[in-house]
Amino acid sequence: MPSAPTPATEGTGATESTTGVSAKPAAPRRTARRFDPLAYGPLIGLVLMLVIGTALNPDFATWDNWMNVLTRTAFIGIIAIGMGFVIISGGIDLSVGSMAALIAGAMILTMNALAAQIASPVAVVALGMLFAVALGGGFGLAHGYLITRGRIEPFIVTLGTLGIFRAVLTWLADGGAITLDMSLSDAYGPVYYGSLLGIPIPVWVFALAAVAGAVLLNRTPFGRYVQAIGSNEQVARFAAVDVDRVKLLTYGLLGVCVGVATVLYVPRLGSASPTTGLLWELEAIAAVIVGGTSFKGGEGRVAGTVVGAILLSVIANILNLTSIISVYLNAAVQGCVIIAVAFLQRRRP
């Protein structure tokens, strides 16, 4: 009597024929990736804005205009790179505009005082720049300390310092403006107005900051810790991540970025006033969110932040060149963009 065929063994991933020859296991089925508008949306939006701007005004596509856009983007872009680390870690900083204003005022006062003691204007400017970056880092570390050691919400801490920084600057300026000494203006001017290979110095600094930020976020343990904390802080603590230290460093990094941006900004006008850096926090946060970083933390890209900052500057530049709507509504446009991107993030799988 013929014997029944031997059934295939379960769980081995292979079938056996009646001749005893094993068939090859089936290849795993690849799942199709869903298009994520937040990953490529900023770049697509930037390309569309470039096309629209060129169509509306031929002057938009000139080299000088593009360099002007990138130069003006550099200040907010550098701050946005630091802001990206803070938001990815699950925090926020509302004080960066006021912080930049106070750093600018303190920097100018320091350089004016040093000019009477040091004969070399270049040395005075160099010391003033170092002072600005150090002061920014100190302000950032102070934020981080209050948040991590004081156990105060980042929103509350930075909302409080927002008012403190601008009030102190207003007091130092006696309600007016703090002006850089004319003897230092010539030595300091090239930091903003100078160029290298036809590209303005602020654009080069912006590019270097972007590359350094991308390497730090994606290629170092610190960057992985920042993302892990933003994804789930408790799990990060269980994984032996020093959460408080990482948060402290992210706010310190943001402060340094604010200091660098201020160093580039001061020679543009040569003064600091209570309106310096007004709404910079809105622009920096908008650049980060438009660039695809999750406002809840845990996920973000420096490249996306850079594209987001340039996109917002391009929109403002188009408004200035075409007068489609009043330039006074630029902040309203940025607010609408933030809300729209936040809505897309809410619907993100």
Side-chain angles (χ1 to χ4, degrees):
M1 186 174 179
S3 59
T6 304
T9 304
E10 295 182 2
T12 61
T15 57
E16 189 175 288
S17 66
T18 55
T19 59
V21 179
S22 299
K24 292 182 178 180
R29 183 177 299 177
R30 292 184 178 181
T31 57
R33 290 186 177 181
R34 297 181 60 181
F35 175 74
D36 187 356
L38 291 178
Y40 302 99
L43 184 59
I44 295 173
L46 177 59
V47 173
L48 289 176
M49 286 296 102
L50 293 176
V51 173
I52 292 172
T54 303
L56 292 176
N57 192 325
D59 293 336
F60 175 81
T62 62
W63 174 262
D64 289 341
N65 184 61
W66 284 348
M67 289 300 99
N68 178 57
V69 170
L70 290 177
T71 301
R72 292 177 179 271
T73 304
F75 315 123
I76 300 301
I78 293 172
I79 295 174
I81 291 170
M83 183 72 76
F85 280 83
V86 170
I87 292 180
I88 293 171
S89 70
I92 193 70
D93 192 330
L94 303 177
S95 70
V96 292
S98 300
M99 185 192 300
L102 180 56
I103 292 173
M107 175 187 182
I108 293 173
L109 289 175
T110 301
M111 288 193 296
N112 289 344
L114 290 175
Q117 306 295 328
I118 301 176
S120 172
V122 175
V124 172
V125 170
L127 290 174
M129 294 167 65
L130 290 175
F131 172 74
V133 175
L135 186 61
F139 285 153
L141 291 175
H143 283 158
Y145 185 84
L146 290 171
I147 291 166
T148 58
R149 301 299 182 183
R151 305 303 176 187
I152 308 174
E153 290 296 325
F155 181 89
I156 301 300
V157 171
T158 57
L159 181 63
T161 54
L162 179 152
I164 294 172
F165 291 152
R166 201 166 292 279
V168 171
L169 172 66
T170 305
W171 171 69
L172 290 174
D174 197 19
I178 302 174
T179 305
L180 183 66
D181 193 289
M182 290 299 296
S183 62
L184 301 174
S185 297
D186 292 338
Y188 199 0
V191 174
Y192 176 81
Y193 294 102
S195 61
L196 179 64
L197 302 177
I199 299 176
I201 297 298
V203 179
W204 283 110
V205 178
F206 181 27
L208 291 175
V211 172
V215 172
L216 186 62
L217 182 64
N218 300 317
R219 302 295 181 183
T220 65
F222 173 75
R224 292 192 291 271
Y225 294 158
V226 168
Q227 297 177 69
I229 292 170
S231 297
N232 193 314
E233 183 174 324
Q234 291 303 320
V235 172
R237 290 185 185 276
F238 293 149
V241 175
D242 191 342
V243 172
D244 290 347
R245 179 174 176 271
V246 172
K247 283 187 175 182
L248 183 70
L249 291 177
T250 58
Y251 283 95
L253 175 63
L254 175 55
V256 169
C257 289
V258 174
V260 172
T262 305
V263 164
L264 298 174
Y265 180 81
V266 166
R268 178 187 176 192
L269 299 177
S271 64
S273 69
T275 60
T276 299
L278 197 63
L279 295 181
W280 278 16
E281 55 277 348
L282 172 64
E283 296 181 43
I285 294 172
V288 175
I289 301 304
V290 169
T293 297
S294 173
F295 199 72
K296 297 179 180 179
E299 182 181 1
R301 295 171 292 275
V302 172
T305 298
V306 171
V307 172
I310 297 174
L311 175 59
L312 293 175
S313 293
V314 167
I315 292 174
N317 185 248
I318 292 174
L319 295 179
N320 290 332
L321 292 177
T322 60
S323 299
I324 298 176
I325 62 174
S326 173
V327 294
Y328 299 115
L329 293 175
N330 187 32
V333 173
Q334 293 177 351
C336 292
V337 171
I338 294 175
I339 293 173
V341 174
F343 178 76
L344 291 175
Q345 288 187 352
R346 185 182 65 86
R347 297 172 61 87
R348 190 176 188 176

